[in-house]
Amino acid sequence: MIRIRNLSKSFGEQVVLDGVNLDIEEGKTTAIVGPSGTGKSVLLKIITGLLLADSGEVLIGEESMTAAKNVKERLDICSRMGVLFQAAALFDSLTLFENAAFPLRYRKQLKESEIVERTARRLKEVGMLEYADRLPGQVSIGMRKRVGIARALVADPDILLFDEPNTGLDPQVGQEIYELIAETQEHLGFTGIVISHEIPEVFQVCERVAMLYKGKVVIDAEVEEFQQSDNPIVQQFTRGEIEGPIKVG
């Protein structure tokens, strides 16, 4: 389980997270949703240790990411996680195979044969093994996202985080990525967090939904309860309406 307690983060006078409290249930996927600029990606960066909080705590199991004293301690905790970044964040000069293998070469002391076997297995699972020798610039963004998922999975993490997994994708490819996330979670049983603003598409890959607005958790509920909420902020966001408490623009 991931436990977030009284988490706050500001950039100058801009308060991005304002006392966030949230539990991410083990072995299930939680979607963190909300309008653009409400702190979703900032929260993910704090969970992964890429950004320091101003105050509050993030517990990954029994380990505190926010209490880690240095980069090494944060990296040790982060070794339990795999991350799919918005644009996949592949290294342009490395083949798709070497991109997927990167966490194993960076974190683990493994024999080359094991690195090759594990990387090939993950690439096959996401349908990208036949393209393994290509460079990222030689394949589509959807294919790069698939390799990003393989890279996130290759070290067998307990926790997977997906930052806007469908950014830049057309609806058909986006649906394929969501289906792939759902299939791999069901098969591997990892704890998942999906950062998204896509409603209702993201509901198909999560059991719970937490909505951020103005730096706070407006609702944290099962999908059906979220959909039936009478909270005007939730209703406006879910329906995509201009009029309401969420100020557009």
Side-chain angles (χ1 to χ4, degrees):
M1 173 177 295
I2 300 174
R3 289 169 287 172
I4 300 166
R5 296 290 179 266
N6 300 315
L7 196 70
S8 295
K9 180 66 180 178
S10 298
F11 296 97
E13 296 183 355
Q14 182 185 5
V15 178
V16 180
L17 300 176
D18 186 12
V20 170
N21 289 282
L22 184 63
D23 287 337
I24 306 296
E25 191 171 348
E26 185 174 353
K28 296 185 178 181
T29 299
T30 298
I32 299 177
V33 303
S36 298
T38 54
K40 303 185 299 295
S41 291
V42 170
L43 178 58
L44 183 145
K45 289 177 181 177
I46 293 174
I47 291 172
T48 56
L50 294 174
L51 192 64
L52 299 178
D54 295 335
S55 60
E57 187 170 36
V58 174
L59 289 168
I60 312 296
E62 299 303 318
E63 298 180 290
S64 176
M65 179 64 81
T66 42
K69 298 180 179 63
N70 50 50
V71 172
K72 182 183 182 303
E73 289 188 5
R74 291 196 294 274
L75 287 175
D76 286 344
I77 298 171
C78 195
S79 67
R80 298 180 56 187
M81 307 181 200
V83 184
L84 175 66
F85 297 98
Q86 283 191 26
L90 302 184
F91 298 105
D92 293 338
S93 60
L94 298 182
T95 65
L96 300 181
F97 186 93
E98 289 302 323
N99 267 285
F102 184 81
L104 297 180
R105 299 196 190 284
Y106 182 75
R107 297 178 182 175
K108 308 284 187 180
Q109 299 295 323
L110 299 176
K111 294 180 179 179
E112 180 64 17
S113 59
E114 186 173 354
I115 291 175
V116 170
E117 187 278 326
R118 290 174 64 169
T119 303
R121 183 173 74 247
R122 293 306 187 200
L123 285 172
K124 184 177 181 180
E125 288 172 348
V126 300
M128 289 299 298
L129 184 56
E130 64 182 292
Y131 305 98
D133 292 335
R134 297 192 185 183
L135 294 171
Q138 297 174 317
V139 299
S140 68
I141 179 61
M143 296 168 81
R144 294 198 293 272
K145 289 283 183 85
R146 287 178 173 272
V147 174
I149 293 174
R151 183 177 63 184
L153 289 167
V154 75
D156 299 326
D158 301 322
I159 301 163
L160 254 72
L161 304 103
F162 304 90
D163 189 7
E164 300 281 4
N166 284 359
T167 296
L169 303 181
D170 62 51
Q172 181 179 351
V173 177
Q175 178 62 29
E176 291 174 359
I177 294 297
Y178 272 141
E179 289 175 359
L180 182 58
I181 292 171
E183 289 169 7
T184 52
Q185 199 285 330
E186 183 177 1
H187 175 60
L188 299 173
F190 54 76
T191 300
I193 299 177
V194 180
I195 304 295
S196 181
H197 64 274
E198 294 185 320
I199 299 294
E201 291 85 355
V202 74
F203 293 156
Q204 64 192 292
V205 298
C206 64
E207 285 88 3
R208 294 192 68 85
V209 186
M211 180 178 175
L212 284 179
Y213 181 61
K214 290 189 175 180
K216 295 183 179 294
V217 176
V218 175
I219 184 173
D220 171 24
E222 300 286 338
V223 172
E224 185 176 356
E225 181 183 349
F226 181 91
Q227 293 173 306
Q228 296 175 354
S229 173
D230 59 2
N231 185 310
I233 295 174
V234 176
Q235 289 185 342
Q236 182 187 355
F237 179 70
T238 302
R239 297 169 183 170
E241 296 174 342
I242 296 177
E243 297 297 327
I246 300 175
K247 302 305 177 185
V248 179

